[in-house]
Amino acid sequence: MVYAPRSARHGALLVGTFAVLGLLTACGSNSHDVHSSPPLTASGTAAPATGDTQSPGPATSAPGSAATGPGAAVPSAPRATTTRGGGTAPSAASSDRCHTSQLRASVGGNDPGAGQENFPVVFTNTSGRTCTLHGFPGAAFVSASGGQLGPDPKRESGSPVTVTLRPGQSAWAGLSFSNPGVSGATTATPAALVVTPPDERDSLRVAWTGGAVPVGGNSSSVFLSVLAPGTAP
């Protein structure tokens, strides 16, 4: 065994102590640098692709629940009502219109004035349900054999309205023409007036008792007004 002087052993101990202290200091310095650096972050959701026209909805939803975010789809309302048998219910316009078979036609008395002859053409609801009339009727004077006398009547100015007829109620349209004795028009005496309700093809025949009507020449036009509630002005 080699004996080292006391001074040498003391010096070696001091060197080792300083080495340990230096290592600890270095470790503390490195630990401080790591914690002082800004932390790295990463998003867990990818951004939508460019040009996406729909806002992103929720990533997940609970089973049985509907999404309510901006991207949620809204169900459209039904467009038609179906009957119990599976057919489509008719619209109000087609189901409520008065048909020829539900009406009775008549011609009221003459109400002359200022060289004009004026007759109300009346439609009465004879059915058991409420129905409607809208617009102008059609009309034509005919002979006993059924041939038309004169041109079709013209429509007077006026805005069509919907007239609702409960069973037994009536609507009327004015039929007017210049007095042939004043106008000098060519005349004929019709056997009947054939009238057609608005939007219908079938007509109703009414006996004509109003005398001669203009069928040609000067002031021979006959006019019809829009339908209105009631039986006369």
Side-chain angles (χ1 to χ4, degrees), residues 19-226:
V20 172
L21 291 174
L23 180 60
L24 292 174
T25 301
C27 291
S29 176
N30 290 338
S31 176
H32 177 71
D33 291 341
V34 170
H35 289 289
S36 62
S37 301
L40 297 176
T41 60
S43 173
T45 304
T50 303
D52 187 9
T53 58
Q54 186 175 10
S55 303
T60 59
S61 60
S65 64
T68 56
V74 179
S76 59
R79 296 181 179 273
T81 302
T82 56
T83 62
R84 183 174 297 179
T88 302
S91 64
S94 62
S95 63
D96 290 347
R97 190 179 82 235
C98 294
H99 300 291
T100 304
S101 60
Q102 299 169 310
L103 300 170
R104 181 182 70 248
S106 60
V107 177
N110 185 17
D111 183 21
Q116 288 288 114
E117 311 299 323
N118 304 293
F119 298 86
V121 178
V122 181
F123 292 97
T124 301
N125 181 5
T126 59
S127 73
R129 72 174 185 91
T130 299
C131 61
T132 61
L133 292 173
H134 180 89
F136 295 85
F141 292 112
V142 296
S143 64
S145 62
Q148 182 170 337
L149 301 174
D152 292 337
K154 298 180 179 180
R155 293 179 175 181
E156 291 184 344
S157 60
S159 299
V161 297
T162 299
V163 181
T164 301
L165 300 181
R166 292 194 294 270
Q169 290 187 325
S170 301
W172 71 280
L175 183 147
S176 61
F177 51 86
S178 296
N179 186 309
V182 176
S183 66
T186 302
T187 65
T189 301
L193 177 70
V194 175
V195 292
T196 308
D199 301 316
E200 290 291 299
R201 292 183 179 274
D202 295 332
S203 300
L204 298 168
R205 183 183 175 100
V206 183
W208 179 257
T209 58
V213 299
V215 294
N218 296 330
S219 301
S220 60
S221 294
V222 179
F223 294 91
L224 276 171
S225 67
V226 70

